[in-house]
Amino acid sequence: MKKLFAVLVLVTVAFGTGSVIGCSDATPDPDVGPSTRPRLSLTADKAEAKADGQEKVSLTFTAKDGTTPAAEGSVISVETDIGALTGGQKTLDITVAGSQGKAQVEISSTQLGTATITGKYKGTASAKLTVKFVLSP
């Protein structure tokens, strides 16, 4: 019976009691329960765009505190390794607008290749995706 208890304790410590949805690199905070843990997801309106600096890909972040949408004005830090975000920047802080926890930004590029876009919310929740920039989609 003691061995079974030890295994259950190890599983609980290794996997925690909550899940992180839509995040690629999230570190659970032991002082925050699953119902309030920050979460972040990221979607794009397309996976590929022309590398002409004109065609843009719209990125939508959805931030939550547990299951509740993030408050309007909450900040999401965004960065890309290729291309430029809205305003010509590689890094940018964007804010949640409205009551759904959503924030949007665009990316474009003159460089061919695959851009990795990463967002962070409250330091513990992150999400990333890739967009491919090609000669012609």
Side-chain angles (χ1 to χ4, degrees), residues 48-70:
E48 194 173 279
K50 191 172 182 180
D52 63 1
Q54 301 299 311
E55 187 173 352
K56 296 177 181 4
V57 176
S58 180
L59 307 169
T60 302
F61 288 89
T62 303
K64 293 184 177 185
D65 293 308
T67 58
T68 305

Side-chain angles (χ1 to χ4, degrees), residues 114-128:
T114 302
T116 301
I117 301 96
T118 306
K120 291 195 178 206
Y121 173 60
K122 291 193 172 180
T124 59
S126 67
K128 71 171 80 171

Side-chain angles (χ1 to χ4, degrees), residues 9-34:
V9 170
L10 179 60
V11 169
T12 301
V13 171
F15 296 107
T17 57
S19 62
V20 180
I21 300 170
C23 300
S24 58
D25 299 318
T27 304
D29 184 340
D31 296 327
V32 178

Side-chain angles (χ1 to χ4, degrees), residues 1-135:
M1 186 67 166
K2 287 183 183 179
K3 280 186 176 181
L4 179 59
F5 178 73
V7 170
L8 289 176
V9 170
L10 179 60
V11 169
T12 301
V13 171
F15 296 107
T17 57
S19 62
V20 180
I21 300 170
C23 300
S24 58
D25 299 318
T27 304
D29 184 340
D31 296 327
V32 178
S35 64
T36 59
R37 186 171 292 133
R39 301 163 193 253
L40 186 64
S41 63
L42 171 58
T43 58
D45 67 341
K46 53 190 163 190
E48 194 173 279
K50 191 172 182 180
D52 63 1
Q54 301 299 311
E55 187 173 352
K56 296 177 181 4
V57 176
S58 180
L59 307 169
T60 302
F61 288 89
T62 303
K64 293 184 177 185
D65 293 308
T67 58
T68 305
E72 185 169 4
S74 296
V75 176
I76 300 168
S77 298
V78 184
E79 67 180 23
T80 183
D81 59 347
I82 293 177
L85 301 167
T86 304
Q89 305 296 315
K90 286 211 178 277
T91 61
L92 185 66
D93 285 343
I94 60 175
T95 56
V96 170
S99 62
Q100 299 301 311
K102 296 191 183 292
Q104 293 187 315
V105 66
E106 293 179 324
I107 184 170
S108 62
S109 181
T110 56
Q111 181 181 347
L112 294 174
T114 302
T116 301
I117 301 96
T118 306
K120 291 195 178 206
Y121 173 60
K122 291 193 172 180
T124 59
S126 67
K128 71 171 80 171
L129 64 69
T130 58
V131 174
K132 189 172 185 179
F133 289 99
V134 297
L135 288 175

